[in-house]
Amino acid sequence: MLENLFFLVVGFCLPFLFFFIGRKLFNWGPHEVPCSHFHDHVHEAAPNRFIRDIQRDAPPPHSQSAIAKAGHGHQAGHDSDPLGDDLEKLVEECALHGHDEHGRKIAHDPDEPHNAPGAKVLMLSGGGQWGAYGAGLFRTMHDASGRDLAMRDVKIITGISTGSLQTLLLMVALDESQPVQTRRYAMDRLEWGYSPRTERDVVRNTGLEMLPLRGAQAGTAPLRKRIRNAIFENGDSTLLDALRQSKIAGYIGFVEANCGLFHYVDVRGLVRDEPDNEKAVDALSAAAMASSAMPVFHQQLRVTGSSKGSRALYDGGVRRSVFFERSMERMHQSVCRHAGSPADEHPNGAERRAVTPAFFVVRNGPTTRVADPDLDSKDGPILNGKRGYDLLVNESEVGAIAGLRLLNPYGDIYLTTADQWYTFDCQCEEADCSKGTEMFKPGFMACLRDLGRHKVQRFGGAWWSMSPIDNR
C-alpha cells in the first residue's frame, strides 16, 4: 500500500521536477541580465498635465508618485528628468543660435530637413523586424551625405523596442565629433544588426504552442548575443568608448512590470559608470532587451543585482512608441519663456516655432494594416488574437506620435514610416521577400532595408512634416 502511494507521489511530482529543470537547462522562463548600477540611471517618465487630469482619482502608485515628482511648476522633478533638462538646453541653444540674419529658423528645410543646420531630436519607435526599415533609411542617408553623416546636429536620440538598438549605434554614427571611420563602423554594425541569416540569429521562435512551458513564444538568448556583437564585436571596444564620449544624449524607454509605469534609462550614464567593458555590454544589453521584451511574445527580461533588486521589465511599446510626457511639457514651458520679446507674455506660434528644436520621428513599421479577408470566415483564437493585438499596437504607435503635437504645438516635426512596404518596387536580391509569419524573416528584412533606400531616393525624400496645431 505504502509502496503504491510512493510511486503515485513520485509519478505526480516528476513532471513538475522535469519542468523546472527544463526551464533552467534550456533558458526557459525569464532571461536574467546582471547589472548592479542599472537603476542608478533609470528615470520615471512622469505624465504630462493631460494625463494627470485623467488620473486625478487614481490610487497610488500610478498617480501620486508620478505627480509628486512631476509637480506643477518648472523646477519640480528637475533632478530626475535628464531628458527634460536636455530639451530645455536645446531651446536655449535655439534661442541663441537658431536663426539666420533675417531671424528665420535655420533648421527648417522642406527639401532636406535632416541636412539643415539646427538642433534636432531623433525619436525611434518600436517595430521588431520592421526596424530594418530604419537601418536601410539611415544607411542610405549616410552614404548619400558625402561626409558619412546621415543627419547633422542631432543632439538627443530616444528609442523604444527595436529603436533601442538603433539608438545605441546612431549615438555614434550621427555624432559629428567622432572620427569618420568610427561613424562608418557604427553604421555598418547597424546594418548588420538588421541583416540576420536566419530567424534563429535573433530569437528562438518555438511558437505559441510552447507558451505554457517556455513562458513566451520566443527565447531571447540569440538577441542578447546579437546586441553584444553589434556593439562589442570580437571584444572591440571602439563603440563602447565612442558611446562614453558621445555628444549625443541617448535614452531608452521601457515599462516596469510591477507598477506598470514608464521609465527611461540614460545610455551614456550606464556605460560611463562601468569602466569594465564586459559589464558595460551587459548594462547596455539589459537596456536594449528590456525595451524589446514584449510580454507573451518575447521572453521576460529581468535585471538582477541592482539597488532595487530583481526587476522584470517590459517593452516600452506596451505603453507608447515615442516617449516625451513631462519632459516635453517642460520644453514647451521653456519655449514660452524664450520666444518673442522678454516683455511678451504670449508669443505667437511663429515665435515659438523659432526657438523649438526640430523633431524627427521614425516609425519603424506601417501605420495602417493590410486587409485580411480570412478573418471573415475563420474564428481561431490565435489568428484573431494576433490581429487584435496588431491593431492595438498600431493604434498605440500612431496615437503616441500624434500626441507629440499636443505638447509641441508649433515646432517642426518630421515623420517617416514604413508604409508602402507592399506596393513599392523592391530591388533587393532576396528570392522571397514576402512578409511571411516569422518574427524575423531575413528576406522581408532585406525588403524593408530596400524600402528605406527607396524613400530616401524618391522624389520628395523620406521625410514629411506634421501639421501644426494652428498657424497663428
Side-chain angles (χ1 to χ4, degrees):
M1 181 69 178
L2 289 176
E3 184 177 340
N4 291 338
L5 181 61
F6 171 77
F7 284 114
L8 181 64
V9 171
V10 170
F12 179 78
C13 294
L14 273 179
F16 293 97
L17 180 62
F18 288 141
F19 171 74
F20 286 112
I21 292 176
R23 281 173 68 91
K24 287 292 184 182
L25 186 62
F26 298 107
N27 194 31
W28 296 352
H31 190 128
E32 297 183 348
V33 180
C35 184
S36 60
H37 69 293
F38 185 81
H39 279 92
D40 296 340
H41 301 283
V42 170
H43 308 273
E44 184 178 333
N48 63 62
R49 64 184 184 276
F50 303 122
I51 302 298
R52 295 200 301 272
D53 288 344
I54 296 169
Q55 295 180 334
R56 189 188 68 173
D57 281 351
H62 293 283
S63 64
Q64 290 187 6
S65 63
I67 292 173
K69 290 182 180 180
H72 296 280
H74 165 61
Q75 294 296 329
H78 190 275
D79 293 336
S80 61
D81 182 23
L83 175 57
D85 296 343
D86 288 335
L87 288 172
E88 287 188 335
K89 290 175 184 176
L90 287 191
V91 171
E92 295 173 6
E93 181 179 326
C94 289
L96 289 173
H97 309 294
H99 310 83
D100 62 16
E101 64 274 16
H102 303 293
R104 294 174 300 198
K105 185 177 180 182
I106 59 178
H108 182 70
D109 183 343
D111 296 323
E112 285 194 322
H114 60 285
N115 276 329
K120 298 176 182 65
V121 179
L122 177 61
M123 309 185 96
L124 307 166
S125 84
Q129 67 176 340
W130 292 88
Y133 168 71
L137 178 87
F138 286 105
R139 170 90 263 179
T140 307
M141 291 194 299
H142 173 95
D143 293 344
S145 68
R147 58 185 185 279
D148 296 290
L149 188 68
M151 295 178 66
R152 62 183 296 186
D153 293 334
V154 174
K155 306 298 184 182
I156 301 172
I157 302 177
T158 68
I160 284 179
S161 192
T162 198
S164 63
L165 175 59
Q166 294 174 343
T167 296
L168 297 179
L169 294 165
L170 290 175
M171 283 177 66
V172 179
L174 301 181
D175 183 3
E176 298 171 60
S177 70
Q178 299 291 340
V180 171
Q181 61 269 27
T182 302
R183 296 203 304 267
R184 288 175 184 165
Y185 180 50
M187 189 58 67
D188 289 343
R189 299 315 291 164
L190 176 65
E191 186 175 27
W192 174 86
Y194 289 93
S195 306
R197 294 170 299 173
T198 69
E199 183 182 44
R200 290 183 67 85
D201 287 345
V202 187
V203 293
R204 291 176 183 164
N205 186 358
T206 55
L208 288 173
E209 296 79 7
M210 291 291 290
L211 184 62
L213 291 176
R214 297 210 60 165
Q217 178 179 343
T220 53
L223 176 60
R224 181 177 179 180
K225 181 179 179 181
R226 195 162 189 84
I227 293 171
R228 176 187 176 86
N229 288 341
I231 60 178
F232 195 49
E233 182 187 20
N234 299 322
D236 185 343
S237 65
T238 298
L239 295 181
L240 292 179
D241 294 336
L243 280 170
R244 292 185 177 106
Q245 301 165 9
S246 180
K247 302 298 183 183
I248 299 176
Y251 301 104
I252 291 174
F254 54 86
V255 172
E256 293 262 8
N258 63 359
C259 64
L261 295 176
F262 192 95
H263 292 77
Y264 66 90
V265 66
D266 178 356
V267 172
R268 291 185 302 187
L270 272 183
V271 72
R272 285 173 177 173
D273 267 13
E274 186 48 80
D276 183 287
N277 286 332
E278 290 288 344
K279 293 182 179 179
V281 171
D282 279 342
L284 295 176
S285 297
M289 292 183 68
S291 185
S292 304
M294 183 61 73
V296 178
F297 295 100
H298 297 141
Q299 193 172 3
Q300 186 190 75
L301 189 283
R302 285 185 191 169
V303 174
T304 62
S306 76
S307 58
K308 292 190 176 182
S310 297
R311 287 293 180 90
L313 308 176
Y314 289 162
D315 187 321
V318 169
R319 292 199 59 159
R320 63 195 69 132
S321 64
V322 292
F323 60 95
F324 40 86
E325 293 299 323
R326 175 60 182 160
S327 301
M328 187 69 72
E329 193 171 42
R330 285 180 55 195
M331 186 198 78
H332 180 63
Q333 292 168 353
S334 183
V335 165
C336 292
R337 290 195 305 272
H338 287 88
S341 64
D344 189 355
E345 295 183 0
H346 302 286
N348 62 39
E351 291 170 330
R352 296 185 189 189
R353 174 176 170 271
V355 298
T356 304
F359 281 73
F360 288 75
V361 182
V362 178
R363 167 65 181 116
N364 284 300
T367 61
T368 60
R369 292 299 179 260
V370 179
D372 187 353
D374 286 346
L375 291 166
D376 291 327
S377 58
K378 296 181 180 179
D379 63 351
I382 293 180
L383 178 66
N384 282 275
K386 283 185 175 180
R387 182 65 165 184
Y389 162 81
D390 200 33
L391 294 173
L392 283 171
V393 169
N394 181 69
E395 191 66 21
S396 172
E397 298 272 0
V398 174
I401 296 171
L404 184 62
R405 178 52 89 193
L406 285 176
L407 298 175
N408 182 11
Y410 303 105
D412 294 323
I413 300 177
Y414 295 97
L415 310 170
T416 188
T417 74
D419 285 317
Q420 300 183 354
W421 61 273
Y422 61 95
T423 59
F424 88 108
D425 183 18
C426 180
Q427 302 295 316
C428 78
E429 298 178 355
E430 292 290 334
D432 179 14
C433 61
S434 60
K435 185 174 183 296
T437 58
E438 297 95 327
M439 283 183 164
F440 294 88
K441 183 179 178 182
F444 181 59
M445 294 174 74
C447 181
L448 290 173
R449 294 195 304 275
D450 193 59
L451 176 63
R453 172 205 59 79
H454 164 76
K455 290 208 172 183
V456 173
Q457 295 178 350
R458 71 180 179 180
F459 178 77
W463 304 96
W464 60 92
S465 60
M466 181 184 286
S467 301
I469 294 293
D470 60 43
N471 294 317
R472 290 175 292 176

